[in-house]
Amino acid sequence: MNTELDFDKMGGLVPAVVQDLSTGEVLMVGFMNEEAFQKTVETGFATFYSRSRKKLWLKGESSGHRLVVKDIATDCDQDALLVKVDAIGPGVCHNGYESCFYRSLKDGQWTETEKQTYDPNAVYGGSK
Amino acid sequence: MNTELDFDKMGGLVPAVVQDLSTGEVLMVGFMNEEAFQKTVETGFATFYSRSRKKLWLKGESSGHRLVVKDIATDCDQDALLVKVDAIGPGVCHNGYESCFYRSLKDGQWTETEKQTYDPNAVYGGSK
């Protein structure tokens, strides 16, 4: 499959925005290299490239909180992806929240706007 | 304001996902450096750093299609932003669509899933 995505602008990666299909909530931003993108398409589970671990990362491989891909869109410049998912489990954030975007700017401070939906220590055993 | 954002992971930039506050639609992904972020906060209009033009870019400065910022959230690692906006005008995409994500993957091909909402040549005069 020639996807014609532009991986060059970011050293082999494109940002992938993950949105909950049913609620419209933006859950996280990950990065995909071409292999992660192909894995995502082939398996139907969102797979990213971990910049810190420098390897492919099947979201939910340790927590079980996989992301079932329902739609993948690209933008005008084909250098970003929007992945609509059904999220398995109580949340995608390793800090215990449904969305990684659980803090908003209020009076110059990042302020928690969501409640934790699970205990991250129980799921991740204290590590990511 | 010490925003404690992590600009280092991407050479001084963070990806900024723009979401329509009222519809929940993801409109575009831009990038902000620290100055663009500060401008966005100070002015209330989404301002990005253009990687191609290598300068600050007030979204809508040529088209008039500005993005009025209603909320700015950051993620767990503080290396991405989610900017909820009221979008002025018929669309954010310079190709004439409401959202830049107007194509989805269908049977291995990027396929248009949205209709144009305006004539980009009338707005941009044939250039971006």
Side-chain angles (χ1 to χ4, degrees):
Chain A
M1 181 174 66
N2 178 12
T3 59
E4 297 167 3
L5 291 173
D6 184 352
F7 290 100
D8 293 337
K9 276 190 195 155
M10 201 183 289
L13 302 176
V14 294
V17 180
V18 177
Q19 184 177 32
D20 188 293
L21 178 72
S22 59
T23 66
E25 190 172 11
V26 173
L27 301 175
M28 60 175 283
V29 173
F31 293 87
M32 292 185 186
N33 60 5
E34 186 142 21
E35 190 183 359
F37 175 73
Q38 296 288 357
K39 283 274 183 199
T40 297
V41 172
E42 286 163 23
T43 65
F45 294 107
T47 304
F48 303 97
Y49 179 80
S50 168
R51 295 180 297 171
S52 55
R53 289 179 281 163
K54 301 193 195 318
K55 64 175 189 174
L56 285 197
W57 160 45
L58 169 65
K59 174 67 184 163
E61 65 191 345
S62 57
S63 66
H65 303 166
R66 292 195 185 195
L67 302 173
V68 181
V69 174
K70 295 297 181 179
D71 186 78
I72 304 177
T74 193
D75 69 346
C76 41
D77 296 331
Q78 299 197 196
D79 59 7
L81 294 169
L82 173 61
V83 183
K84 294 187 182 178
V85 303
D86 281 344
I88 297 174
V92 307
C93 181
H94 70 272
N95 288 347
Y97 297 85
E98 183 181 3
S99 163
C100 293
F101 292 98
Y102 58 84
R103 285 167 299 184
S104 286
L105 201 60
K106 308 285 180 198
D107 300 323
Q109 301 289 328
W110 297 114
T111 306
E112 209 167 299
T113 54
E114 290 193 24
K115 290 192 186 311
Q116 278 192 322
T117 51
Y118 69 97
D119 175 3
N121 289 325
V123 172
Y124 293 99
S127 78
K128 290 182 186 179
Chain B
M1 182 174 65
N2 177 11
T3 59
E4 297 168 3
L5 291 173
D6 184 352
F7 290 100
D8 293 338
K9 276 191 194 154
M10 201 184 289
L13 301 176
V14 295
V17 180
V18 177
Q19 184 178 33
D20 187 294
L21 178 72
S22 58
T23 67
E25 190 172 11
V26 173
L27 301 176
M28 61 175 282
V29 174
F31 293 87
M32 292 185 186
N33 62 5
E34 186 143 20
E35 190 183 359
F37 174 73
Q38 296 288 357
K39 284 272 184 201
T40 298
V41 172
E42 287 164 22
T43 65
F45 294 107
T47 304
F48 303 97
Y49 179 81
S50 168
R51 296 179 297 171
S52 56
R53 288 179 281 163
K54 299 192 194 321
K55 64 175 190 176
L56 286 197
W57 160 45
L58 169 65
K59 175 65 183 163
E61 64 191 346
S62 57
S63 66
H65 303 166
R66 292 195 185 195
L67 302 173
V68 181
V69 173
K70 295 297 181 179
D71 186 78
I72 304 177
T74 193
D75 69 346
C76 41
D77 296 330
Q78 300 198 194
D79 58 7
L81 294 169
L82 173 61
V83 183
K84 294 187 182 177
V85 303
D86 282 344
I88 297 174
V92 306
C93 182
H94 69 272
N95 287 346
Y97 298 84
E98 183 181 4
S99 163
C100 293
F101 293 97
Y102 59 85
R103 286 167 300 184
S104 286
L105 202 61
K106 309 285 181 198
D107 300 322
Q109 301 289 327
W110 297 114
T111 306
E112 209 167 299
T113 54
E114 290 192 24
K115 290 194 187 308
Q116 277 192 323
T117 51
Y118 69 97
D119 175 3
N121 289 325
V123 172
Y124 294 99
S127 78
K128 290 183 187 179

